[in-house]
């Protein structure tokens, strides 16, 4: 069990550029979640998948954001036309469906939009 | 809708003293409750959880929390603080194991 991994760990981009982040969940976990955390705040839910199906999206997820989990394994989160307000830590978590639903988090991708 | 309120954005204790971090939640259905810890520039680590059953739950590193339905609370405690406990702590609630709703966090400072 190698835990949840995220790539890259840090991303600096210029306003207006597109960025894509990757998350690899714990191998036997069928649920995958994306959260966003800004400085001094708790993480906020963005979206989650069960296998390859995207089951819920937050209203925080504007049409510039898109997430995929094409084969029910890794997931990507893309932000188009980045804005300075997108600067944040993007966290990925995974879990199984069952009695506890514990979510295990990756180290996060810190995005800075200049 | 669910929500979490963490009382005190910063808590300072002396090494060896009791740690008490407060969490109150709002949920229209039976909640699942969690405490996570976050060290600088890292992801979140699960400390403990309450789903059903025993209302006093024990977690890692000597932490425990008690679910009190009548008070809608899930406060985190540790009898004796250690320097390594200095971090940010988040309380979170979910229903039926879906998305987590987090509080704003409490930064714990441990003084030597």
């Amino acid at each position: 069990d190698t835990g949840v991994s995220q790539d890259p760990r840090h991303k600096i981009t210029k306003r207006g550029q597109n960025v894509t982040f990757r998350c690899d969940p714990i191998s036997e976990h069928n649920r995958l979640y994306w959260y966003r955390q800004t400085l001094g705040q708790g993480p906020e839910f963005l979206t989650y998948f069960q296998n390859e199906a995207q089951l819920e999206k937050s209203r925080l997820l504007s049409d510039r954001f898109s997430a995929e989990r094409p084969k029910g394994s890794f997931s990507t989160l893309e932000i188009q036309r980045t804005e300075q307000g997108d600067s944040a830590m993007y966290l990925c978590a995974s879990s199984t469906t069952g009695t506890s639903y514990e979510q295990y988090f990756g180290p996060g991708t810190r995005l800075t939009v200049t | 809708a669910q929500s979490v309120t963490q009382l005190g954005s910063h808590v300072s204790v002396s090494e060896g003293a009791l740690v008490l971090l407060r969490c109150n939640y709002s949920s229209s259905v039976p909640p699942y409750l969690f405490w996570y810890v976050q060290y600088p520039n890292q992801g979140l680590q699960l400390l403990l959880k309450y789903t059903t059953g025993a209302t006093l739950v024990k977690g890692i590193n000597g932490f425990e929390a008690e679910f009190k339905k009548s008070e809608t609370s899930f406060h985190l405690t540790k009898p004796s603080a250690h320097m390594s406990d200095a971090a940010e702590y988040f309380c979170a609630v979910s229903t039926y194991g879906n998305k987590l709703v987090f509080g704003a966090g409490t930064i714990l400072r441990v003084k030597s």
Side-chain angles (χ1 to χ4, degrees):
Chain A
D1 181 356
T2 57
V4 179
S5 62
Q6 293 186 246
D7 184 69
R9 293 291 308 275
H10 303 274
K11 179 70 176 180
I12 300 174
T13 191
K14 294 185 177 181
R15 188 175 52 192
Q17 298 295 304
N18 299 345
V19 294
T20 300
F21 309 141
R22 177 180 170 125
C23 172
D24 286 88
I26 294 171
S27 58
E28 65 268 26
H29 285 184
N30 59 346
R31 285 193 171 186
L32 187 149
Y33 306 79
W34 286 99
Y35 294 86
R36 180 172 66 187
Q37 185 179 23
T38 54
L39 201 61
Q41 300 296 320
E44 294 176 297
F45 169 78
L46 293 178
T47 188
Y48 90 94
F49 295 83
Q50 182 160 311
N51 301 312
E52 63 273 15
Q54 189 172 19
L55 296 188
E56 187 175 353
K57 293 193 294 185
S58 165
R59 64 180 184 276
L60 294 175
L61 210 66
S62 75
D63 56 6
R64 296 185 299 105
F65 288 70
S66 63
E68 294 183 339
R69 195 182 184 199
K71 297 182 179 179
S73 57
F74 72 90
S75 175
T76 58
L77 178 68
E78 180 182 18
I79 309 174
Q80 296 182 327
R81 305 180 304 281
T82 53
E83 302 172 355
Q84 287 189 320
D86 297 330
S87 296
M89 175 78 90
Y90 290 83
L91 294 164
C92 176
S94 69
S95 75
T96 59
T97 49
T99 56
S100 66
Y101 296 93
E102 299 170 8
Q103 293 185 26
Y104 294 87
F105 282 79
T109 294
R110 181 166 296 283
L111 173 66
T112 303
V113 182
T114 62
Chain B
Q2 300 166 292
S3 66
V4 172
T5 302
Q6 291 185 238
L7 295 175
S9 59
H10 292 79
V11 169
S12 183
V13 300
S14 298
E15 192 172 20
L18 172 71
V19 175
L20 171 61
L21 304 183
R22 299 179 186 274
C23 172
N24 288 87
Y25 69 91
S26 172
S27 179
S28 57
V29 297
Y32 291 3
L33 294 159
F34 304 84
W35 276 99
Y36 283 86
V37 61
Q38 186 177 36
Y39 297 97
N41 297 312
Q42 295 188 24
L44 282 74
Q45 180 183 11
L46 180 66
L47 279 178
L48 48 79
K49 68 179 189 292
Y50 168 79
T51 53
T52 59
T55 56
L56 181 64
V57 293
K58 296 184 184 297
I60 62 172
N61 302 337
F63 285 94
E64 61 182 38
E66 186 171 11
F67 170 60
K68 292 187 176 181
K69 184 178 178 181
S70 61
E71 298 177 8
T72 60
S73 69
F74 190 58
H75 302 329
L76 181 72
T77 60
K78 182 174 181 178
S80 177
H82 191 272
M83 296 297 290
S84 61
D85 294 328
E88 189 162 18
Y89 292 79
F90 292 95
C91 181
V93 63
S94 77
T95 54
Y96 308 124
N98 294 319
K99 66 184 179 187
L100 292 169
V101 175
F102 286 88
T106 297
I107 294 173
L108 176 65
R109 178 185 171 214
V110 182
K111 300 175 291 185
S112 59

